[in-house]
């Protein structure tokens, strides 16, 4: 690539007049002559214009200069040539894209499947709620039954109502905390993977 490699100038009427007055039309390139006739945005390489100026100065020293020829023109860089892509490289890139997309899809499906596997089903959730509700209801009945038992047991001893209520509350409270202990122990045993214990096993 020369000194002006890639740089080009727009053909203008002034450029046409300057070069045609210094050179014969047969010495000018076809693209220059086409631009001189149409002036529709034809470009010439600056290196080619420099060569034309040198040819004119060789024939007539000092007849024209590159600076004078370029006066009023527009300079721009020639578009870079499009390189042809290697078919083998293109095919390899397509394979890599396909493998990457397949891998991402596999990970996404795997995550969804793992999530579905760990989440309990609707039936399991219903059974858990039923078991918990049954435990709470049984505990409530046990506490109420203990209170009633202690209340009437003290009544048969001939004590007053205050003593009956105090005895009922005392026994009911003991039974409540005992039930609470067994419930919490069973829940902790489930979390640790231990077999569920019952009151009868103690």
């Amino acid at each position: 690539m020369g000194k002006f490699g890639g740089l080009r100038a727009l053909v203008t009427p002034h450029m046409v007049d300057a070069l045609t007055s210094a050179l014969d039309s047969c010495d000018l390139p076809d693209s220059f002559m086409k631009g001189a006739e149409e002036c529709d945005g034809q470009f010439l390489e600056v290196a080619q214009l420099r060569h034309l100026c040198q040819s004119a100065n060789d024939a007539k020293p000092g007849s024209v200069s590159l600076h004078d020829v370029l006066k009023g023109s527009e300079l721009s860089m020639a578009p870079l040539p499009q390189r042809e892509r290697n078919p083998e490289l293109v095919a390899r890139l397509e394979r890599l894209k396909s493998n990457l997309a397949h891998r991402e899809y596999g990970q996404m499906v795997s995550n969804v499947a793992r999530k579905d596997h760990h989440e309990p089903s609707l039936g399991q959730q219903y059974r858990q709620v039923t078991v918990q509700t049954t435990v709470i209801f049984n505990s409530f009945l046990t506490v109420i039954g203990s209170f009633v038992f202690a209340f009437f047991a003290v009544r048969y001893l001939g004590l007053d109502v205050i003593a009956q209520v105090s005895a009922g509350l005392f026994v009911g409270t003991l039974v409540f905390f005992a039930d609470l202990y067994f419930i919490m122990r069973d829940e902790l045993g489930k979390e640790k993977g231990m077999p569920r214990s019952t009151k009868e096993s103690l």
Side-chain angles (χ1 to χ4, degrees), residues 13-184:
H14 171 75
M15 184 187 298
V16 173
D17 294 339
L19 290 177
T20 52
S21 62
L23 292 171
D24 295 332
S25 59
C26 61
D27 295 329
L28 298 174
D30 294 338
S31 58
F32 179 81
M33 297 305 298
K34 184 178 180 181
E37 295 173 359
E38 300 177 2
C39 293
D40 58 351
Q42 294 293 325
F43 285 89
L44 276 181
E45 297 289 336
V46 174
Q48 190 175 12
L49 289 173
R50 182 170 178 271
H51 176 72
L52 293 175
C53 292
Q54 288 179 349
S55 299
N57 289 325
D58 291 341
K60 300 177 183 178
S63 59
V64 66
S65 65
L66 180 61
H67 174 74
D68 183 62
V69 170
L70 294 176
K71 187 181 298 183
S73 179
E74 295 181 8
L75 299 178
S76 65
M77 295 298 297
L80 296 176
Q82 294 290 337
R83 292 186 178 181
E84 184 179 355
R85 302 180 68 182
N86 189 339
E88 182 178 353
L89 180 59
V90 172
R92 185 176 178 183
L93 289 175
E94 291 298 329
R95 286 196 302 270
L96 291 175
K97 289 181 181 179
S98 177
N99 292 337
L100 181 59
H102 181 73
R103 185 181 305 171
E104 291 178 351
Y105 176 77
Q107 291 178 351
M108 181 175 62
V109 173
S110 176
N111 292 336
V112 172
R114 191 180 301 112
K115 183 178 179 181
D116 293 339
H117 176 72
H118 288 291
E119 288 185 354
S121 63
L122 183 61
Q124 292 175 339
Q125 293 179 357
Y126 175 76
R127 285 193 293 271
Q128 291 176 357
V129 172
T130 302
V131 170
Q132 293 173 356
T133 304
T134 303
V135 170
I136 294 174
F137 182 72
N138 290 338
S139 300
F140 177 76
L141 289 180
T142 303
V143 172
I144 295 299
S146 301
F147 175 84
V148 173
F149 170 78
F151 181 87
F152 285 100
V154 174
R155 180 180 181 181
Y156 285 117
L157 294 177
L159 300 178
D160 58 4
V161 177
I162 296 178
Q164 295 174 20
V165 173
S166 299
L169 290 175
F170 177 75
V171 175
T173 302
L174 288 179
V175 173
F176 169 76
F177 282 108
D179 280 343
L180 183 62
Y181 166 76
F182 287 114
I183 292 173
M184 293 181 63

